[in-house]
Amino acid sequence: MYAGDHNTPAVFRLEEHTDRLIRSAELVKMGLSVDKATLMAAQCAVLRENNLTEAYLRPMVFYGTEHLGLQTAPLSTHVMIGAWKWGAYFDEEAVHQGIKVCLSSYRRHDHRSVPCKAKANGLYVNSVLSLQEAAEKGCQEALLLDTEGNVAEGSSANVCIIRGNTLYTPESPHILDGITRESICVLAQDLGLSVERGTLILDDIYSADEMFFTGTAVEVAPVGEFDGKPVGSGQCGPKTRALWSAFREVTKGNNPKYSHWLTPISGE
Ligand code: PMP
């Protein structure tokens, strides 16, 4: 989550992130003993009390240690909230040039094996391995296909492409439905783009005019090269740049239309 650097420090889409945390805990069958209002207030308090005006927030639910083994019934559940200043995920030049992305040899989890809609720590072994592999190939991010061979997402970000005046992004039971992507789809419509969610195949990526990733940490990350070939112009495309800056303005609190996406950390 992002606490913007505008005059009134605020968290971007705190309510949606907290809903997803609660839903994720339910999906992996972890009972939560705190309610949404308490979780939201606690996250704001962590930022406030640590004087963090621009930070990444990471609430996590974890089991107690009453018992070892895989049976969870005897275990208590706890919540921790981490918050820290986290600079740009990709450096300025990478964003301007567009990052290099490779096709991962790992497939995204299948929803028949694990609840893919949950943001659950265990699922991130797949993300870590795919990102390690990308780094070994000199890339900053990986694109994963799902077990059916359709485009899924990045290691920790959703993927979008632009062709003509349309933004396309995968609709799939196997991916995490990102809150940033949902916000970008709204902003894209404001910029006059149509938005289509559906099955994407690799050919769609190869024929894209522009490609970018979205996520809380990466925000909007333009892709310059995929699988050794330039995407479009090989740099950040004009529509991606417009979305990148529209998103920035919203998170900084400079767009009153979306002030309801920001929760002031003052708790007022
Ligand atoms: N997919 C995965 C696997 C992720 O880890 C993330 C980051 N949370 C996303 C997509 C993007 O989600 P969001 O925009 O809600 O951060």
Side-chain angles (χ1 to χ4, degrees), residues 21-180:
L21 178 73
I22 294 169
R23 212 166 47 244
S24 297
E26 280 167 7
L27 282 169
V28 296
K29 302 184 170 44
M30 292 178 94
L32 250 180
S33 50
V34 276
D35 63 15
K36 178 174 160 184
T38 309
L39 285 169
M40 286 177 61
Q43 291 171 87
C44 290
V46 166
L47 292 169
R48 217 169 41 236
E49 286 169 28
N50 290 285
N51 296 319
L52 286 165
T53 52
E54 198 174 344
Y56 185 84
L57 254 179
R58 186 169 290 176
M60 241 184 292
V61 182
F62 61 100
Y63 282 120
T65 53
E66 290 86 355
H67 144 92
L68 293 176
L70 299 183
Q71 283 292 350
T72 57
L75 304 180
S76 53
T77 57
H78 306 267
V79 180
M80 57 144 280
I81 297 167
W84 63 96
K85 202 168 161 49
W86 195 356
Y89 192 87
F90 298 116
D91 63 50
E92 191 79 14
E93 196 191 319
V95 171
H96 179 69
Q97 293 295 327
I99 58 166
K100 281 190 187 174
V101 175
C102 63
L103 180 62
S104 182
S105 69
Y106 295 95
R107 295 283 168 110
R108 167 74 181 165
H109 298 290
D110 190 295
H111 78 97
R112 290 159 290 197
S113 303
V114 280
C116 295
K117 300 288 172 192
K119 190 162 161 60
N121 282 334
L123 272 57
Y124 280 84
V125 173
N126 177 255
S127 304
V128 168
L129 289 172
S130 55
L131 191 59
Q132 275 173 359
E133 181 190 53
E136 281 159 17
K137 292 182 177 169
C139 292
Q140 286 108 339
E141 177 57 301
L143 180 73
L144 285 83
L145 303 181
D146 64 24
T147 47
E148 284 145 47
N150 298 316
V151 173
E153 59 186 328
S155 63
S156 60
N158 290 116
V159 64
C160 300
I161 58 168
I162 291 177
R163 212 166 39 223
N165 222 24
T166 306
L167 181 158
Y168 299 87
T169 189
E171 177 85 65
S172 159
H174 309 295
I175 67 171
L176 190 75
D177 294 319
I179 293 162
T180 316

